[in-house]
Amino acid sequence: MPGLDLVDHSPHHPSPAAPLANSSNLVLIDNYDSFTWNVYQYLVLEGATVTVFRNDKITLDELIARQPTQLVISPGPGHPDRDSGVSREAIRHFAGKIPVLGVCMGEQCILSVFGGQVVSAGEILHGKTSDLRHDSKGIYQDLAQDLPVTRYHSLAGTHPSLPSCLEVSSWISRPLDGEKGLIMGVRHKEFVVEGVQFHPESILTEGGRAMLKNFLKMRGGSWVENERLKGTVEVAPESIANGGQMKSAKDAKVSILERIYAHRRAAVEAQKKIPSQRLADLQASYDLDLAPPLIAFLVRVRQSPFSISLMAEIKRASPSKGVISLSTSAPKQARTYALAGASVISVLTEPEWFKGSIEDLRAARQALEGMPNRPAVLRKDFIFDEYQILEARLGGADTVLLIVKMLDEDTLTRLYRYSLSLHMEPLVEVNTVEEMKIAIELGSKVIGVNNRNLTSFEVDLGTTRRLMDLVPEGTVVCALSGISGPADVQEYKQSGIGAVLVGEALMRAPDTTAFVEQLLGEPMAAGVPTHSEELLVKICGTRTPEAAKAAIDAGADLIGMVLVEGRRRYVGWDKALQISKVVHETNRTRGRRTKSLGRPAVKASSYFQHASSFLSHPSRALLVGVFQDQPLPYVLGQRRILNLDIVQFHGSEPLEWAALIPVPVIRSFKPGDPGISTRGYHAMSLLDTAGGGSGQALDAKDVVGTLRRDEGLRVILAGGLNAENVRQTMQDLGDMGSRVVAVDVSSGVEDEGRHSLDKIQSFVAAAKGRTKE
């Protein structure tokens, strides 16, 4: 038709490009749109092997099982939140793992998945062209500006609702000022995810085929990985030899494993060049004994409160399941696993596919600091270099994973021996008879059988049982992968398996302890008690041996002396020595109620719960010396001369001093102070007002808030307590009252500045819920 300035950009008698190895399994989701054929045609012409699925004819699990090399979401009618089928789920899963492209509705799905709004565009366009402006990156690389592109849409994303993780990659300029107008393309800032509102596959779009060609050049799940792999797109020679046929599913899946391995090699090599992170730097730190204390993995994996040991895994994502929980706190999860009875905590440190890091390992190990009978910590990663093993040891790992499939025998032997030289017995992973024989020949003491075949990614829970007959006596066999329910575990118990590794199912469990007991088919065995069932009472400000004797006879558990000159309740040496003699020589007249002994503890316990046992003695009261901002040598000297059982700091003393004092330390804090929950130093935190001994009460809400922030925290409560309010104060704390180990009183048992025997007796009786005698 004359007068129409239209150019047909469709391929005329095109010659297809050679098949691309990196695009050998591209999946295209069809949102029931006729343009899907055009998208398919352009992709195939550029060398991709494409499989098309309607958006309601395949599930996410089926998509995951296909292990696509790229994902493309087609145009389609309707709204992305209602009419896109599996598209949004697929984007959410594959973002960060493989390149993702969305066209028209596909772009709107990307906006919706990451939190943007898709609303009316203010106009309805059907087959109209507009001049496109773009940022010359990603799919627009090497393309001119003001390209005519074809638009078929009435909906679009908006600038105000654009999620912070996305950026505008192309737009239609506003006619008056030339600024960015309607959004025509978005790009994820971290992941290889691009979306276009227009139709690159339309015959009226200039450069559309070049855009899709640029997309097919993209590699990996993140832009960092894409940059590293840039220029490595290869033609698949086997595809050419077979007349352009797609590689087998098995080969496609092998390439994913190889990509992970290649990525780790590149990342480790780059890290080794960073000053402070070079191998020599790590070795210098290790030579200074800066690695956290180690426990014997082989011993700990055999200890369990269950009849089979649990290896609990911290895993945010995986290549087979996608994102599991990006918001997971590694240290919090580690503590949860430990208290639920885990013998080993496995920490994924691979960043791209599993979303882990070496920092997760360090934080998880720090969270277990000071925890009695803590679990062993496993670094789970693709380990191929001594550097990674040394890095793991410095990060707090007790063991590392060595995968037989990934390593030749010389490398495996070298890494195994190097790990042993750092006093870490490795977990050696196998999947086949041949690999098991290699592990046994190596001398492995702990062998993990991966039920997931790393070539096919299929799970077969029978793998572990079939390989058991090859294992020599004394070797611990662990079943890895695919364990989700009690029936799986029961079979392993009967087969003599020593441990099971569980990741995804644990990560998704709403109640970890209950799930573990259900999974392993039995409740945890009881261990030794860690503290008295009865609330402890500390009488502080004691100034005479007579007052100390009266407090002990009344049932007090701790007798406190203020050893700070200038304080009103200060006790001089002579009186302090007399008080010490009374405390150490006076036996209790009243028995203590304690929990009955169980079998020796085989699980970790909370640090503060364990430390609470230091605050009581079965036959006498304990003597506490209270200090405030005095030199450490003075504190140590007083501790020795007065034979103090416990030291209490009530000033700004460094937390580290507690590790230098040979008796338990109580440390005073105000609610919300930093350091109150720090493990491994003070045995117990005492909550009090700023000055202490003032008779000023704490706000119950502040106390509850402090305790709720850390479920493992136990405290001594002070501040304005007396016989009339101590029970009510405990009741005001609600369920947090059980986390108060002891109450501390000074002014509340005084008359005119001196201890009152009657008030002491009344306070002890009220605190312990007894009737005053």
Side-chain angles (χ1 to χ4, degrees), residues 491-506:
E491 289 190 35
Y492 288 137
K493 287 182 183 179
Q494 296 170 355
S495 302
I497 304 299
V500 291
L501 185 143
V502 185
E504 181 191 358
L506 269 176

Side-chain angles (χ1 to χ4, degrees), residues 14-77:
S15 298
L20 299 173
N22 68 295
S23 301
S24 62
N25 191 22
L26 187 150
V27 168
L28 172 60
I29 301 298
D30 175 19
N31 284 304
Y32 285 85
D33 194 275
S34 59
F35 270 105
T36 302
W37 163 253
N38 299 43
V39 176
Y40 171 85
Q41 183 188 33
Y42 272 28
L43 291 169
V44 170
L45 288 174
E46 292 303 331
T49 302
V50 183
T51 306
V52 183
F53 297 97
R54 288 280 173 85
N55 67 20
D56 58 351
K57 301 301 182 184
I58 190 170
T59 66
L60 179 61
D61 286 342
E62 290 169 339
L63 271 177
I64 293 170
R66 293 191 68 86
Q67 297 288 336
T69 53
Q70 293 100 342
L71 176 71
V72 178
I73 309 297
S74 86

Side-chain angles (χ1 to χ4, degrees), residues 728-740:
Q728 186 59 52
T729 298
M730 294 296 292
Q731 290 172 15
D732 290 344
L733 300 181
D735 59 346
M736 292 294 103
S738 63
R739 308 258 293 277
V740 175

Side-chain angles (χ1 to χ4, degrees), residues 175-321:
L176 295 180
D177 57 14
E179 293 297 317
K180 292 181 181 179
L182 202 64
I183 295 174
M184 284 290 105
V186 294
R187 180 184 301 115
H188 199 284
K189 294 178 181 178
E190 180 184 356
F191 304 147
V192 183
V193 176
E194 295 243 22
V196 294
Q197 179 62 74
F198 58 91
H199 287 251
E201 76 285 1
S202 169
I203 64 172
L204 299 182
T205 294
E206 183 178 342
R209 184 172 171 183
M211 295 176 196
L212 295 182
K213 182 177 182 178
N214 282 337
F215 171 71
L216 294 178
K217 292 179 181 178
M218 297 174 184
R219 306 290 299 275
S222 69
W223 293 114
V224 171
E225 184 182 10
N226 176 69
E227 186 66 24
R228 185 165 52 248
L229 298 173
K230 186 179 292 184
T232 62
V233 177
E234 300 176 355
V235 172
E238 67 272 36
S239 296
I240 297 173
N242 293 326
Q245 293 180 6
M246 176 183 169
K247 292 199 301 180
S248 70
K250 176 179 176 180
D251 290 336
K253 289 171 181 175
V254 168
S255 69
I256 293 172
L257 183 62
E258 290 172 347
R259 279 172 56 202
I260 299 174
Y261 187 53
H263 170 264
R264 293 304 289 141
R265 292 196 71 90
V268 170
E269 286 305 312
Q271 182 177 321
K272 288 164 70 174
K273 297 175 183 178
I274 300 173
S276 80
Q277 296 186 49
R278 298 166 301 183
L279 179 59
D281 300 317
L282 268 58
Q283 187 63 50
S285 295
Y286 183 77
D287 291 342
L288 288 171
D289 270 341
L290 298 185
L294 183 80
I295 63 173
F297 170 53
L298 179 60
V299 173
R300 188 63 181 89
V301 75
R302 287 175 167 151
Q303 297 174 342
S304 176
F306 308 100
S307 56
I308 189 169
S309 294
L310 173 66
M311 307 173 76
E313 190 156 85
I314 300 172
K315 178 165 63 173
R316 293 193 179 92
S318 73
S320 60
K321 295 296 184 180

Side-chain angles (χ1 to χ4, degrees), residues 214-454:
N214 282 337
F215 171 71
L216 294 178
K217 292 179 181 178
M218 297 174 184
R219 306 290 299 275
S222 69
W223 293 114
V224 171
E225 184 182 10
N226 176 69
E227 186 66 24
R228 185 165 52 248
L229 298 173
K230 186 179 292 184
T232 62
V233 177
E234 300 176 355
V235 172
E238 67 272 36
S239 296
I240 297 173
N242 293 326
Q245 293 180 6
M246 176 183 169
K247 292 199 301 180
S248 70
K250 176 179 176 180
D251 290 336
K253 289 171 181 175
V254 168
S255 69
I256 293 172
L257 183 62
E258 290 172 347
R259 279 172 56 202
I260 299 174
Y261 187 53
H263 170 264
R264 293 304 289 141
R265 292 196 71 90
V268 170
E269 286 305 312
Q271 182 177 321
K272 288 164 70 174
K273 297 175 183 178
I274 300 173
S276 80
Q277 296 186 49
R278 298 166 301 183
L279 179 59
D281 300 317
L282 268 58
Q283 187 63 50
S285 295
Y286 183 77
D287 291 342
L288 288 171
D289 270 341
L290 298 185
L294 183 80
I295 63 173
F297 170 53
L298 179 60
V299 173
R300 188 63 181 89
V301 75
R302 287 175 167 151
Q303 297 174 342
S304 176
F306 308 100
S307 56
I308 189 169
S309 294
L310 173 66
M311 307 173 76
E313 190 156 85
I314 300 172
K315 178 165 63 173
R316 293 193 179 92
S318 73
S320 60
K321 295 296 184 180
V323 172
I324 298 169
S325 176
L326 291 180
S327 62
T328 291
S329 164
K332 183 176 181 180
Q333 195 77 1
R335 278 187 188 163
T336 299
Y337 284 164
L339 296 177
S343 300
V344 179
I345 295 176
S346 168
V347 184
L348 264 302
T349 59
E350 193 284 321
E352 293 297 326
W353 283 266
F354 294 91
K355 309 302 180 189
S357 70
I358 194 69
E359 290 305 317
D360 283 339
L361 180 76
R362 291 193 183 98
R365 174 60 182 85
Q366 288 170 4
L368 305 178
E369 189 64 36
M371 183 176 281
N373 208 34
R374 70 167 176 85
V377 177
L378 162 70
R379 181 185 188 179
K380 194 174 182 186
D381 206 325
F382 295 84
I383 290 178
F384 50 84
D385 194 304
E386 286 87 347
Y387 177 92
Q388 296 167 286
I389 299 175
L390 182 56
E391 180 186 44
R393 182 67 199 91
L394 287 169
D398 302 296
T399 181
V400 295
L401 178 71
L402 298 179
I403 305 174
V404 173
K405 190 177 195 66
M406 300 292 296
L407 305 167
D408 60 68
E409 290 192 43
D410 288 343
T411 303
L412 175 65
T413 301
R414 191 182 77 244
L415 295 180
Y416 182 82
R417 290 175 178 172
Y418 179 74
S419 183
L420 291 180
S421 76
L422 300 183
H423 307 285
M424 293 193 296
E425 176 69 43
L427 172 64
V428 178
E429 179 184 307
V430 303
N431 177 254
T432 66
V433 170
E434 292 73 19
E435 292 170 7
M436 178 63 86
K437 290 178 179 177
I438 291 172
I440 293 170
E441 182 68 23
L442 187 66
S444 304
K445 301 294 189 298
V446 188
I447 299 177
V449 180
N450 195 341
N451 294 308
R452 187 184 305 280
N453 185 293
L454 293 181

